[in-house]
Amino acid sequence: MKPLVLRCGRHAFDLARPLVMGILNVTPDSFSDGGRYADPRRALERARAMRDDGADLIDIGGESTRPGASPVAESDELARVIPLVEALAADGVAVSVDTRRPGVMRAAIAAGAAMINDVAALTAPGAVEACAASEAGVCLVHMQGEPRTMQQAPTYADVLADVRGFLVDRAAACEAAGIARERIVIDPGFGFGKTLAHNLVLLRSIATLAATGYPVLVGLSRKSSLGAITGRSAGERMPASLAAALAAVARGAAIVRVHDVRETLDALKVWAAVESGT
Ligand code: 9MG
């Protein structure tokens, strides 16, 4: 059955329409906007601009998870992320924090984060407990390997069955620890230990993932798979990203994680008008 509501701290999202999560990487080395928002003032301006454009959530990341990225010190991640979470949460923005570290999760939730977005699906010791002790939403992402090496030789017996099985198991572990079903989102993790062929199988199969009953988040914005299809560089992939977002939503994705919030919302409005016949 299609989930109706997503609860993230003090925010409750109606899932009758797709949600848009705006991306804010405050790292010096993210693949698309690396370094652009390392200055906290610029980062805050960018987050507020995405909010004004209509983003439902803003996802802040202080450690790059792009292929080949090396880990950063926890103290650096905290220093990059927490002041922004405090400022945006005080504005009433629903802030998601992209982190794999339980210490950062706890600090982010204390600072007002509404969601924890973990590309390691809360597998670090203490991560599930850190989220269970709060009302925050959680996004559980499938990743094969770890960012430094994950794109070297990803292999699966059956990519859809493997990803689906992993995500359902992680969601069950979260529920067993006390995280309500209405707080859980799953994400196949496009580009996280996947070839273009794997990503396309997963994108075509969003309906199978959505049939688990958990809302599905899709993050394909400006990713290298879109570059492989179009031959465009990261900065030139907005049209491809819009097409990917629409393909995902048409197959049942509940949330799209994007760099281009205004343009994605326009595309979704046209799609919704066609679907509803208005
Ligand atoms: C942090 N991050 C980078 N890519 C992502 C994706 O596809 N999904 C989610 N949830 N987070 C992502």
Side-chain angles (χ1 to χ4, degrees):
M1 204 188 56
K2 201 174 172 207
L4 299 176
V5 74
L6 170 65
R7 297 197 186 279
C8 299
R10 62 193 156 116
H11 303 269
F13 295 102
D14 179 357
L15 295 176
R17 65 163 181 90
L19 305 180
V20 172
M21 171 186 270
I23 300 172
L24 183 62
N25 288 313
V26 290
T27 55
D29 61 341
S30 83
F31 79 96
S32 174
D33 40 22
R36 196 177 305 169
Y37 304 114
D39 168 12
R41 219 163 25 96
R42 287 192 77 182
L44 200 52
E45 274 171 21
R46 174 70 186 143
R48 288 181 172 144
M50 288 195 286
R51 173 205 56 195
D52 294 345
D53 282 344
D56 297 287
L57 292 134
I58 308 280
D59 188 43
I60 303 176
E63 177 183 54
S64 176
T65 50
R66 72 176 164 77
S70 299
V72 298
E74 182 163 333
S75 54
D76 290 341
E77 193 182 344
L78 286 166
R80 289 173 186 169
V81 166
I82 300 303
L84 278 172
V85 176
E86 285 170 347
L88 291 168
D91 283 355
V93 175
V95 181
S96 160
V97 171
D98 150 28
T99 185
R100 295 181 282 165
R101 291 191 165 112
V104 178
M105 293 173 191
R106 281 193 298 274
I109 290 166
M115 175 179 265
I116 299 299
N117 171 31
D118 183 2
V119 300
L122 304 185
T123 49
V128 170
E129 293 75 9
C131 294
S134 77
E135 293 301 319
V138 297
C139 178
L140 307 171
V141 185
H142 177 275
M143 172 167 64
Q144 187 183 83
E146 43 107 16
R148 206 169 44 78
T149 53
M150 65 191 176
Q151 287 306 103
Q152 283 172 8
T155 43
Y156 297 85
D158 176 337
V159 67
L160 177 59
D162 285 10
V163 168
R164 184 189 178 284
F166 171 83
L167 292 172
V168 167
D169 286 353
R170 293 309 301 154
C174 288
E175 288 193 55
I179 301 177
R181 202 181 171 82
E182 289 187 330
R183 291 168 53 197
I184 299 174
V185 172
I186 61 171
D187 181 335
F190 291 100
F192 286 93
K194 280 128 196 143
T195 62
L196 172 60
H198 295 142
N199 287 333
L200 288 174
V201 168
L202 291 168
L203 181 54
R204 286 185 202 110
S205 310
I206 295 295
T208 303
L209 297 174
T212 60
Y214 298 101
V216 178
L217 187 151
V218 166
L220 273 161
S221 183
R222 300 189 192 172
K223 283 193 177 167
S224 63
S225 284
L226 304 184
I229 294 168
T230 61
R232 306 282 180 205
S233 67
E236 299 173 316
R237 292 179 195 156
M238 193 218 288
S241 303
L242 298 178
L246 291 183
V249 165
R251 288 164 175 76
I255 309 176
V256 285
R257 182 180 180 275
V258 302
H259 297 85
D260 303 293
V261 169
R262 190 162 49 99
E263 293 80 358
T264 304
L265 277 163
D266 281 357
L268 289 173
K269 278 180 195 158
V270 173
W271 173 81
V274 172
E275 289 300 302
S276 70
T278 56

